[in-house]
Amino acid sequence: QVCVVFSEELQCWCRAIIQSIRHHLDRYELRCFLVDYAKYSFVEPDNIRVPVGTFNKLPYRAKKCSLYCTKPLTLYLDFCADTAKIGPAKKWDTAAIHHFQNLLK
């Protein structure tokens, strides 16, 4: 369900989908996916509202997508044979994601 949250980082109200809740020090924080900015942000429960009227009908500015025919790869190390091979993986490595983001910048 889409809700409206105030992002301290962006200093504006945004549409978001709540992903998870965590207890931080003496309060709760909600991890939200900001659908118009395609980024994750932590929000305090006091900064969450229910969307009203036609606000829900506005199209999202950001869309989730993937690279066409691009499969994740990872480096497999065999310490016994002292070899390293690149092969298919189930998900992208953190280092590969970081490298790709740096290429985009």
Side-chain angles (χ1 to χ4, degrees):
Q1 179 178 343
V2 176
C3 58
V4 180
V5 300
F6 184 77
S7 170
E8 296 288 338
E9 180 184 349
L10 300 171
Q11 289 296 307
C12 66
W13 289 92
C14 315
R15 289 178 291 178
I17 298 173
I18 298 172
Q19 298 289 318
S20 62
I21 301 171
R22 76 173 184 178
H23 190 272
H24 183 69
L25 299 174
D26 61 341
R27 64 183 197 278
Y28 287 96
E29 288 184 336
L30 293 100
R31 182 174 186 253
C32 299
F33 178 72
L34 306 179
V35 296
D36 290 319
Y37 295 94
K39 65 188 305 183
Y40 290 93
S41 179
F42 284 100
V43 178
E44 293 184 13
D46 296 342
N47 292 336
I48 298 177
R49 304 286 188 274
V50 175
V52 293
T54 57
F55 192 71
N56 268 340
K57 296 179 183 177
L58 294 172
Y60 300 148
R61 289 176 42 196
K63 296 182 186 266
K64 287 186 178 182
C65 60
S66 61
L67 298 174
Y68 181 71
C69 291
T70 303
K71 305 289 183 198
L73 298 174
T74 192
L75 183 64
Y76 293 101
L77 300 174
D78 186 354
F79 292 106
C80 297
D82 197 29
T83 60
K85 295 180 183 177
I86 294 177
K90 292 183 181 178
K91 65 179 193 171
W92 289 99
D93 290 343
T94 305
I97 294 169
H98 184 68
H99 177 69
F100 183 71
Q101 289 173 340
N102 287 339
L103 289 174
L104 289 175
K105 289 179 183 176

